[in-house]
Amino acid sequence: DGGITQSPKYLFRKEGQNVTLSCEQNLNHDAMYWYRQDPGQGLRLIYYSQIVNDFQKGDIAEGYSVSREKKESFPLTVTSAQKNPTAFYLCASQEGALSTDTQYFGPGTRLTVL
Amino acid sequence: GQQLNQSPQSMFIQEGEDVSMNCTSSSIFNTWLWYKQDPGEGPVLLIALYKAGELTSNGRLTAQFGITRKDSFLNISASIPSDVGIYFCAGAIQGAQKLVFGQGTRLTINP
């Protein structure tokens, strides 16, 4: 089955701990994206990567880090520096690097920091 | 940066009614996308539009790429309970590296 997988679906962490969210795609897409969604809000871009070993900050990158060592994987680390990490995190991918390509989303990870 | 104004923010309708929502921008877009998000899930692509004036249907859903390239519309005919969710528009500008998203329209249907 082709698609984007995010794990886990629900994640609980204590304040002050770093946590890494997984995103994997087997669509052979070049570009991958991380978004944050807060209740009743739209999507805000955290980081994106258009090619392996390269990534760019989005609109709200502070307190987050990413890596893109493999084409199919784009993990997001929520660090202790992120002031308000509790949110729904969405990973997306698209075939090419052009924004006019269609983006497809994973099922999301809901992170709750206690 | 660019912004998309999506309206209405929320809709409360009766089952069987038709629904209309739209997105507008001060910038010209080359692609318009419409997504639906069910609670606790990722957005799912409904319709993609690539040409000004284009009208595309997907079942009971119809979307249009505005002729000015600064707006797009989504219509849902004869709504059913499973249409409940949040609908997002997204636009892409040629040469840009990321999509611009609207704030979403939350659709609630009374049976």
Side-chain angles (χ1 to χ4, degrees):
Chain A
D1 244 20
I4 304 169
T5 56
Q6 291 185 243
S7 60
K9 181 71 173 172
Y10 299 95
L11 192 54
F12 296 88
R13 280 294 181 269
K14 289 185 180 177
E15 196 171 338
Q17 289 182 336
N18 291 356
V19 59
T20 297
L21 281 59
S22 166
C23 178
E24 305 276 330
Q25 53 98 1
N26 61 3
L27 301 167
N28 200 35
H29 284 176
D30 287 322
M32 297 185 74
Y33 302 79
W34 274 106
Y35 294 90
R36 170 184 172 135
Q37 186 178 31
D38 293 287
Q41 302 292 318
L43 306 178
R44 292 187 290 169
L45 183 64
I46 305 172
Y47 267 99
Y48 62 105
S49 167
Q50 297 180 314
I51 195 169
V52 174
N53 292 322
D54 189 37
F55 48 83
Q56 288 78 39
K57 291 182 179 180
D59 301 318
I60 55 164
E62 186 175 349
Y64 300 97
S65 66
V66 294
S67 62
R68 186 90 186 275
E69 297 176 2
K70 298 186 295 183
K71 187 175 185 178
E72 59 269 24
S73 179
F74 190 40
L76 172 75
T77 297
V78 184
T79 75
S80 56
Q82 169 49 233
K83 296 285 186 284
N84 186 17
T86 294
F88 189 51
Y89 290 88
L90 287 160
C91 177
S93 72
Q94 67 183 45
E95 185 173 1
L98 296 176
S99 65
T100 47
D101 291 331
T102 302
Q103 246 176 63
Y104 297 92
F105 285 85
T109 292
R110 184 167 299 282
L111 172 65
T112 302
V113 175
L114 306 171
Chain B
Q2 290 89 14
Q3 283 189 323
L4 289 181
N5 298 311
Q6 186 170 350
S7 66
Q9 287 188 339
S10 59
M11 301 183 75
F12 299 84
I13 63 169
Q14 298 292 324
E15 184 177 350
E17 286 185 18
D18 296 343
V19 171
S20 290
M21 60 190 78
N22 69 84
C23 272
T24 61
S25 172
S26 57
S27 303
I28 289 175
F29 286 89
N30 295 95
T31 299
W32 285 97
L33 305 171
W34 284 94
Y35 291 89
K36 182 191 177 214
Q37 185 179 29
D38 290 328
E41 300 295 331
V44 173
L45 182 68
L46 298 173
I47 294 176
L49 303 161
Y50 299 105
K51 205 163 90 170
E54 181 181 354
L55 187 71
T56 298
S57 293
N58 178 5
R60 293 177 295 103
L61 278 62
T62 302
Q64 184 162 24
F65 193 139
I67 199 74
T68 65
R69 295 166 69 188
K70 293 183 178 181
D71 55 12
S72 180
F73 305 87
L74 176 70
N75 295 317
I76 306 173
S77 63
S79 58
I80 60 177
S82 62
D83 291 333
V84 165
I86 303 175
Y87 292 80
F88 288 101
C89 62
I93 297 173
Q94 192 75 32
Q97 295 180 336
K98 47 190 179 176
L99 289 176
V100 180
F101 282 88
Q103 290 299 100
T105 295
R106 182 180 295 272
L107 179 62
T108 303
I109 298 175
N110 299 317

